[in-house]
Amino acid sequence: VDLIKRILAASGWFFLFCMVLFPDTAPACRLYGVMAEKLPDGLLEQHLVTDPYALRALCRLGNIDGWGIGYVSEPGEPPVLIRGAVRASVDPGYAKLVQDLDAVKPHILLAHIRWCTSGCCSHGKDSIEDPHPFSRDQDGKHWIFVHNGGVGITRMRNLIGEEYLKTHPPTGSGVSACSETVVDSELYFLYLLK
């Protein structure tokens, strides 16, 4: 929190935009993140909905497995997580949420559109909510996490250790379909928190 305050004080606002396009390679999850003391008007709608390379538009590249947004309105508050099973490009709830968030102007926001590769996955069926962002309360702090890429589930379990997993089990972020089958990204998140 102190580092965030120093960055915000030094720059007025700090913006982190994470979007990687790989038009000639296999589809991948797409991520967006922003942290600011005061977001400029219209920024979220522009970057998440209306721009040609907005997160919503990237669904045309194959991100058809739902969406998730996590945000923090004020420093120290717990994150709010909202998810959808229907791809963001056709889900009116996605665009409406982003419009509402543009008015709220959260201090921290992570967004994710999914190309599922592990765990709870019904590729292209618009039937399972995106479990990203993952959320945990640990050591008196609130954590949210999004991930793009694949990690070996067995390797992650071995790195984390069964003792830690017994006391910090994967939860699927409250998405019921994800509580049965572990998503590799959640194990990676647990490993980072360990």
Side-chain angles (χ1 to χ4, degrees), residues 21 23 27 30 51-64 87-89 113 115:
L21 298 176
R30 307 295 174 183
D51 272 359
Y53 289 102
L55 207 58
R56 183 180 194 190
L58 294 178
C59 289
R60 73 181 185 278
L61 299 175
N63 298 89
I64 57 176
R87 61 199 79 183
S89 59
I113 56 173
W115 173 269

Side-chain angles (χ1 to χ4, degrees), residues 16-20 28-35 44-45 47-49 54-56 58 63 66-72 80-83 88 94 97-98 101 106 108-114 130-134 144-148:
L16 173 64
F17 184 52
C18 304
M19 179 178 69
V20 181
C29 296
R30 307 295 174 183
L31 315 174
Y32 176 89
V34 66
M35 178 176 59
L44 293 178
E45 193 164 9
H47 287 178
L48 295 175
V49 178
L55 207 58
R56 183 180 194 190
L58 294 178
N63 298 89
W67 57 271
I69 295 177
Y71 68 93
V72 176
V80 176
L81 304 172
I82 301 169
R83 301 177 170 86
Y94 175 84
L97 172 63
V98 172
L101 287 173
I108 299 171
L109 180 136
L110 292 177
H112 183 274
I113 56 173
R114 190 171 189 218
D130 182 353
H132 295 80
F134 294 95
I144 56 176
F145 176 78
V146 294
H147 175 249
N148 171 36

